[in-house]
Amino acid sequence: LLYTIKFEQHDIETMSNSALELSPRVSVPLSVYFLLASTLALCGNSLVLYASLRYRAISLDRVCFGLVQHLAAADLVYTMSASLPALATYLSGGWVLGPGLCFLQAHLPFLPGVANLLLVLAITLHRLYVISFPFRALRGTTARVGTALIWLLSALIFVIATFYFRSSASFDPKIGWCVSSVYESPSGHLFMLVISIMFVCLPLVTMTVANICLSWVAFKVAYPSSSGSLKRHGVVVFDHSREVASLPRGSDRGSVSCEGGGGA
């Protein structure tokens, strides 16, 4: 986003030098960061996909289960298209992967990047929906359609930024990254600025507000007021449309009868 806003209008094609123009005090920490980030992303997301697909080891409702799987897949695509090439660049001291991979690093991250943000937003809003309407679970078909729309929208942004503006890519030695020429033209620069606001800033603000609401609900459940119904009648916890209610405090649990005459 900062690169989009502060990008100076100049010819990217003049950046033909493939050697990094970064001091060791900058390139070494970046190498360590991308090494750790790439390793954790590859191992963690691969484990999530393998454990969930092979053993169903993740205990979530169907909606969150599918969203988490798609989120792991988006993270893997972003890691392989952006983080790993950056790691190779900082370790080797320059771009050594050729023009084809330079083009991919400059454009392909648009696809998983937008999908990643929208999937995290969908997970957050679903959690808020479950707490607000605990007896109105979303259908699996609705979740699959929403996930498909997220990927289609991300792919559309990738296609427009890459092919509609006929973008090329070249290596910028000052940042150690391959840069798309979509930022050169005023229309392309405006397009990327609008996309950054709509699919970066707004989702982040929405997620922040939603998580504040979730934190408030969790606080009210954990510390109910002395005059509230939760403290008088017992705590009710909603977990993905399944109601688990505790018995009233101080009651004789062994003498409670089930409806129909059976003893509890």
Side-chain angles (χ1 to χ4, degrees), residues 24-129:
R25 65 179 182 179
V26 176
S27 60
V28 171
L30 286 175
S31 301
V32 174
Y33 167 76
F34 278 104
L35 177 61
L36 294 176
S38 301
T39 303
L40 292 175
L42 290 174
C43 295
N45 290 296
S46 299
L47 180 61
V48 167
L49 290 176
Y50 180 77
S52 61
L53 294 174
R54 181 67 183 272
Y55 300 106
R56 306 285 294 184
I58 300 178
S59 180
L60 290 172
D61 64 285
R62 288 182 299 174
V63 175
C64 279
F65 187 80
L67 290 174
V68 168
Q69 288 180 326
H70 284 272
L71 182 62
D75 285 341
L76 285 175
V77 175
Y78 187 86
T79 300
M80 290 184 288
S81 62
S83 299
L84 288 180
L87 174 62
T89 299
Y90 292 123
L91 290 178
S92 61
W95 185 261
V96 294
L97 301 178
L101 287 179
C102 184
F103 181 86
L104 288 179
Q105 190 199 33
H107 298 97
L108 187 56
F110 292 150
L111 174 60
V114 174
N116 195 309
L117 284 169
L118 295 181
L119 287 168
V120 175
L121 176 62
I123 293 174
T124 304
L125 295 179
H126 177 256
R127 291 170 59 197
L128 188 61
Y129 177 84

Side-chain angles (χ1 to χ4, degrees), residues 15 19-22 26 171-177:
M15 293 186 263
L20 277 176
E21 296 181 6
L22 297 175
V26 176
F171 180 72
D172 187 348
K174 295 181 180 179
I175 61 175
W177 205 274

Side-chain angles (χ1 to χ4, degrees), residues 62-63 67 126 129 137-149:
R62 288 182 299 174
V63 175
L67 290 174
H126 177 256
Y129 177 84
L138 292 176
R139 296 180 179 179
T141 304
T142 304
R144 287 191 290 270
V145 171
T147 304
L149 290 177

Side-chain angles (χ1 to χ4, degrees), residues 184-199:
E184 276 191 354
S185 64
S187 57
H189 186 271
L190 178 61
F191 171 76
M192 295 307 299
L193 181 59
V194 172
I195 292 300
S196 299
I197 294 174
M198 292 180 59
F199 298 104

